[in-house]
Amino acid sequence: MAKVDIDTIKEAYMERSRAIAEKIGKEEAHIMLYLNGNASRGLLKRHKDKVIFDIPIPNYYNSRKARLLFCYDSGHVNSMYPREVLLEKLRSKTRVNRRGYRDDGLRTLMRVFVCHKDDILIAFSRDAEGKRYIKAGIIKRLIERTNMNAFGDLFIEGARPYRWLVVPRVLVDAINPIRGRSYMPLGLPLEEYPFYKKLLAFDDFADRLSPCPIVKR
């Protein structure tokens, strides 16, 4: 397994943050998700007390290489193009889309990420016996959907995710031990991949930067 220290991880996140800052335009788009499953382009004041996710879409992610991920506790991941969602599903700035995300009572939207297709999605899960697993996969291998409330791909099967992460593609060498198990429904037993502790140590730090610049309310 490639040796990656804490400073390398931090620099990977900071490099993406700097790239985003260089492409900031006059207005940064936002996608708002509400408790009732609706979505809108920007905040609608009459619904401001019902916002659960405020999703900024920097100009850096205004391309076909960008991805918008909705990650659920059912193990499903819905992958979309941010620009397509903004132009096709949320064109109006004064109306809500009533099919904003999957809200059927059977699953809960846990995390939302705005990222690059070559970044890496990681899921931490726990099976019925309490055993923990970690699984990783390159995001571009997820099928892109056009509907925000689609089920998406079943990324984890046989366990319930309790944490989702997205890490920059520059860390792919460190992730290879678990990415190589992507064909397995659960991935790798967590204790067989001690590097996960370093990833978790920077989860809060990364949450304030790309690839997951999300504010949860």
Side-chain angles (χ1 to χ4, degrees), residues 147-162:
N147 293 326
M148 297 177 68
N149 71 336
F151 282 101
D153 290 8
L154 183 58
F155 191 79
I156 292 291
E157 183 177 4
R160 300 289 283 190
Y162 62 87

Side-chain angles (χ1 to χ4, degrees), residues 3 6 17 19 24 30 40 48 55 62 65-66 75 79 84 113 124 126 128 130 136 139-140 157 160 190 216:
K3 292 184 179 180
I6 296 295
S17 183
I24 293 295
H30 282 252
S40 67
K48 65 180 180 180
I55 310 168
N62 188 21
K65 294 181 179 180
S79 176
E84 185 174 284
F113 299 101
F124 293 80
R126 187 178 288 108
I139 289 168
K140 66 183 176 183
E157 183 177 4
R160 300 289 283 190
L190 195 62
K216 185 175 181 180

Side-chain angles (χ1 to χ4, degrees), residues 19-207:
I20 290 174
E22 291 175 358
K23 292 192 176 183
I24 293 295
K26 295 181 179 179
E27 182 179 357
E28 184 178 64
H30 282 252
I31 296 175
M32 316 299 291
L33 300 183
Y34 301 92
L35 285 170
N36 58 6
N38 293 347
S40 67
R41 179 171 181 154
L43 177 63
L44 299 180
K45 293 182 179 180
R46 63 182 181 276
H47 298 299
K48 65 180 180 180
D49 59 334
K50 300 176 182 178
V51 173
I52 58 170
F53 281 100
D54 176 354
I55 310 168
I57 311 292
N59 286 342
Y60 179 87
Y61 292 116
N62 188 21
S63 75
R64 296 290 287 184
K65 294 181 179 180
R67 296 293 186 271
L68 171 64
L69 305 182
F70 287 1
C71 302
Y72 294 88
D73 66 350
S74 62
H76 289 84
V77 180
N78 188 17
S79 176
M80 300 156 281
Y81 295 116
R83 180 176 173 81
E84 185 174 284
V85 170
L86 289 168
L87 295 180
E88 300 296 331
K89 304 299 180 181
L90 300 173
R91 287 177 292 179
S92 173
K93 295 184 179 181
T94 60
R95 299 177 62 183
V96 298
N97 183 315
R98 300 188 183 281
R99 296 164 60 89
Y101 61 96
R102 200 77 190 180
D103 184 35
D104 55 12
L106 300 177
R107 69 205 79 240
T108 299
L109 181 60
M110 295 179 65
R111 292 292 297 269
V112 178
F113 299 101
V114 182
C115 49
H116 191 281
K117 69 175 185 177
D118 292 329
D119 289 335
I120 306 156
L121 177 65
I122 298 176
F124 293 80
S125 63
R126 187 178 288 108
D127 67 14
E129 297 178 352
K131 188 172 182 178
R132 296 182 299 168
Y133 295 85
I134 184 170
K135 184 175 182 179
I138 300 296
I139 289 168
K140 66 183 176 183
R141 293 182 179 174
L142 297 171
I143 297 173
E144 288 76 48
R145 266 82 180 185
T146 57
N147 293 326
M148 297 177 68
N149 71 336
F151 282 101
D153 290 8
L154 183 58
F155 191 79
I156 292 291
E157 183 177 4
R160 300 289 283 190
Y162 62 87
R163 187 189 294 264
W164 296 90
L165 300 176
V166 168
V167 299
R169 57 189 181 275
V170 296
L171 296 180
V172 67
D173 288 343
I175 303 301
N176 274 336
I178 46 176
R179 193 166 66 90
R181 302 290 188 95
S182 61
Y183 65 93
M184 300 175 65
L186 296 176
L188 186 73
L190 195 62
E191 62 271 14
E192 295 183 22
Y193 184 70
F195 183 72
Y196 83 89
K197 296 178 181 179
K198 293 184 178 181
L199 294 178
L200 292 179
F202 275 83
D203 187 25
D204 291 338
F205 171 78
D207 205 24

